[in-house]
């Protein structure tokens, strides 16, 4: 009996200490793996330039399904799909379905701008007593880098690693005296579509000769793609002052307070609220086409703007290390350009919020300097964050 009892005890002990075999979870069923698969950067051909050079387009998709398309010509953002308050995705940037659309005479849709974003008076500036002459491509002034600025060159693109989300590195070598600017300039721009639903734009550059530089991004936004204009969208700008301009949109040099003027966006208001007010500055720009001086320190990340569309519920918040932001309300769009899905881009159907240094700074000593010296590294960052409410 004792022997039988001992055998029973041993069998019970063995059964209690035998671990069941763990079943392997199929990889495709693991949430982390699914999330990783959603994040991607893909590439496709996007046409040929008149000189025979091939253009490529990259698609960045983040973990939440936000999708952005960028082509190597001009570093242009051709589409940006974000959800509205009902979760329905829509393309919130103006542009074209094909490369040919961008080869027309178009107002910088989605493009990287350089060497100098905004205007330089009379197409001239001096460095160390030497005068440099630039193209006059905006009446008597130089605009956005000249006749063939960075918006019209072919950038070299490569996927780059980022812990924040899918990223694309764009590089361009601008030769000494290209468009009249001194110095061999090497420029890198990195677009990152973060998993926090941000578009982060990092600019960096170096030169072998003293030059001026003011890089920016010129996407036209409409947070409600179904809406004909942006006049019902609400804008807030983190700025107590702006730069008044003359009749050719060159700053007069003396900042003015926004308080008591149509340029006061310190509290959110619809873009259409004061755009038709009787005001000389609005007459000069045919609406808003001015530079606001941001509150906060130059070089430090700070809030710049918040754009909200009540119709779609989309919100875009902009933060930047730049000292200023140019708000342009699409005043020169006239319906002659037919964009994506055969949509006519009519008067004020899109707006630009371009973080940058001040217009005409090379000619105005009182403005923050845009001079870049050999041995120095140019670096600025702007972040566009997309949410809904």
């Amino acid at each position: 009996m004792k022997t039988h009892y001992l055998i029973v005890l041993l069998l019970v002990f063995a059964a209690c200490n035998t671990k069941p075999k763990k079943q392997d979870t199929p990889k495709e069923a693991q949430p982390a793996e699914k999330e990783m698969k959603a994040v991607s950067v893909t590439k496709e051909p996007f046409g040929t330039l008149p000189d025979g050079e091939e253009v490529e387009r990259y698609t960045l998709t983040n973990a939440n399904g936000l999708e952005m398309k960028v082509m190597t010509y001009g570093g242009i953002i051709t589409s940006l799909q974000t959800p509205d308050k009902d979760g329905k995705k829509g393309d919130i940037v103006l542009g074209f379905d094909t490369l040919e659309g961008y080869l027309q005479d178009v107002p910088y849709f989605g493009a990287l701008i350089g060497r100098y974003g905004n205007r330089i008076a009379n197409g001239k500036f001096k460095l160390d007593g030497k005068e440099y002459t630039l193209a006059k491509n905006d009446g008597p002034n130089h605009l956005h880098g000249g006749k063939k600025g960075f918006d019209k060159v072919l950038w070299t693109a490569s996927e780059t690693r980022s812990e924040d989300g899918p990223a694309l590195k764009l590089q361009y070598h601008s030769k000494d005296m290209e468009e009249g600017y001194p110095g061999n300039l090497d420029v890198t721009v990195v677009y990152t579509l973060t998993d926090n639903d941000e578009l982060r734009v990092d600019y960096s550059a170096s030169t072998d000769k003293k030059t001026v530089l003011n890089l920016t991004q010129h996407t036209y936004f409409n947070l409600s793609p179904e809406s004909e204009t942006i006049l019902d969208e609400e804008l807030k700008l983190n700025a107590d002052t702006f730069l008044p301009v003359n009749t050719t949109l060159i700053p007069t040099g003396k900042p003015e307070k926004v308080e008591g003027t149509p340029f006061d966006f310190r509290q959110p208001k619809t873009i259409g609220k004061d755009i038709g007010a009787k005001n000389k500055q609005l007459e000069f720009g045919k609406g808003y086409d001015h530079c606001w001086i941001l509150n906060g320190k130059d070089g430090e990340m700070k809030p710049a703007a918040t754009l909200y569309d009540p119709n779609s519920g989309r919100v875009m918040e902009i933060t930047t290390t730049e000292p200023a932001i140019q708000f342009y309300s699409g005043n020169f769009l006239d319906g002659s350009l037919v964009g994506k899905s055969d949509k006519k881009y009519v008067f004020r159907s899109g707006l630009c919020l371009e973080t940058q240094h001040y217009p005409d700074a090379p000619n105005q000593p009182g403005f923050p300097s845009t001079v870049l010296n050999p041995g120095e590294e140019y670096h600025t960052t702007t972040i566009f964050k997309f949410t809904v409410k």
Side-chain angles (χ1 to χ4, degrees):
M1 287 294 292
K2 286 183 178 179
T3 304
H4 178 73
Y5 181 70
L6 183 60
I7 291 170
V8 170
L9 284 176
L10 288 171
L11 288 171
V12 170
F13 180 81
C16 290
N17 284 277
T18 302
K19 293 181 179 178
K21 186 177 179 182
K22 185 179 180 181
Q23 291 186 342
D24 292 328
T25 304
K27 282 189 176 181
E28 60 269 22
Q30 295 176 4
E33 289 292 329
K34 278 190 172 182
E35 192 170 275
M36 289 301 292
K37 284 186 177 182
V39 178
S40 66
V41 178
T42 59
K43 180 175 69 172
E44 63 182 338
F46 197 60
T48 306
L49 295 174
D51 63 5
E53 290 188 287
E54 298 293 325
V55 176
E56 294 173 332
R57 185 167 69 171
Y58 288 76
T59 301
L60 284 68
T61 308
N62 80 352
N64 303 316
L66 262 68
E67 181 189 276
M68 180 175 74
K69 294 182 184 291
V70 180
M71 68 170 163
T72 50
Y73 176 72
I76 291 171
I77 297 172
T78 63
S79 74
L80 181 54
Q81 297 273 349
T82 69
D84 64 11
K85 59 188 176 184
D86 298 318
K88 181 184 176 183
K89 288 181 185 174
D91 188 355
I92 62 170
V93 304
L94 275 57
F96 302 95
D97 292 318
T98 64
L99 173 63
E100 286 68 31
Y102 293 94
L103 300 182
Q104 307 172 76
D105 184 17
V106 295
Y108 308 97
F109 283 162
L112 291 174
I113 302 297
R115 290 190 188 191
Y116 202 94
N118 222 309
R119 296 171 175 86
I120 294 179
N122 302 310
K124 293 180 180 180
F125 69 93
K126 286 184 179 180
L127 277 178
D128 295 335
K130 182 177 179 179
E131 186 172 80
Y132 293 90
T133 301
L134 311 171
K136 295 180 181 180
N137 60 326
D138 183 55
N141 304 317
H142 177 81
L143 177 67
H144 291 334
K147 293 181 178 178
K148 190 178 181 181
F150 291 176
D151 60 297
K152 295 180 181 68
V153 301
L154 199 63
W155 293 70
T156 300
S158 60
E159 181 180 350
T160 186
R161 293 182 178 273
S162 171
E163 294 179 355
D164 299 322
L168 184 71
K169 180 191 289 185
L170 295 165
Q171 295 174 294
Y172 180 66
H173 175 75
S174 178
K175 294 180 180 179
D176 183 30
M177 299 311 296
E178 184 175 305
E179 288 296 317
Y181 291 92
N184 288 294
L185 185 77
D186 287 303
V187 184
T188 299
V189 178
V190 178
Y191 289 130
T192 306
L193 195 61
T194 79
D195 293 337
N196 289 325
D197 293 344
E198 301 163 329
L199 167 57
R200 179 185 175 107
V201 188
D202 290 291
Y203 307 85
S204 59
S206 60
T207 182
D208 65 357
K209 190 185 293 185
K210 193 172 186 177
T211 191
V212 296
L213 188 63
N214 186 28
L215 302 176
T216 191
Q217 220 291 334
H218 208 289
T219 290
Y220 285 70
F221 294 98
N222 185 328
L223 298 187
S224 185
E226 301 81 14
S227 299
E228 199 165 65
T229 76
I230 44 80
L231 295 178
D232 291 334
E233 296 187 9
E234 296 175 7
L235 178 65
K236 179 182 179 181
L237 296 174
N238 178 34
D240 296 331
T241 55
F242 79 108
L243 295 175
V245 295
N246 63 21
T247 56
T248 68
L249 303 182
I250 295 294
T252 59
K254 187 179 179 182
E256 288 186 6
K257 296 281 189 182
V258 299
E259 187 174 2
T261 76
F263 294 84
D264 191 350
F265 284 91
R266 292 175 297 171
Q267 296 300 318
K269 68 176 180 181
T270 60
I271 292 165
K273 184 176 186 296
D274 295 324
I275 202 168
K278 191 173 182 180
N279 178 282
K280 279 191 176 182
Q281 287 297 310
L282 290 174
E283 290 173 16
F284 291 163
K286 300 187 185 330
Y288 296 109
D289 192 3
H290 296 73
C291 189
W292 276 255
I293 300 171
L294 296 173
N295 301 330
K297 292 184 179 179
D298 183 13
E300 293 184 3
M301 190 63 74
K302 54 192 166 292
T306 301
L307 186 67
Y308 167 59
D309 179 62
N311 181 47
S312 68
R314 290 186 179 92
V315 180
M316 181 174 73
E317 299 170 89
I318 303 175
T319 55
T320 187
T321 59
E322 290 278 33
I325 188 166
Q326 182 87 5
F327 166 39
Y328 168 59
S329 52
N331 312 312
F332 295 97
L333 298 174
D334 60 6
S336 60
L337 293 172
V338 180
K340 289 176 276 191
S341 302
D342 294 325
K343 183 176 181 179
K344 286 187 177 181
Y345 292 136
V346 299
F347 189 48
R348 296 174 179 156
S349 56
L351 63 86
C352 301
L353 291 163
E354 309 155 56
T355 56
Q356 57 185 252
H357 268 61
Y358 301 5
D360 198 37
N363 293 314
Q364 306 211 25
F367 288 176
S369 175
T370 53
V371 171
L372 181 65
N373 293 296
E376 294 177 345
E377 182 74 15
Y378 175 101
H379 185 75
T380 71
T381 298
T382 295
I383 298 173
F384 303 82
K385 182 174 178 61
F386 304 100
T387 56
V388 293
K389 68 175 183 179

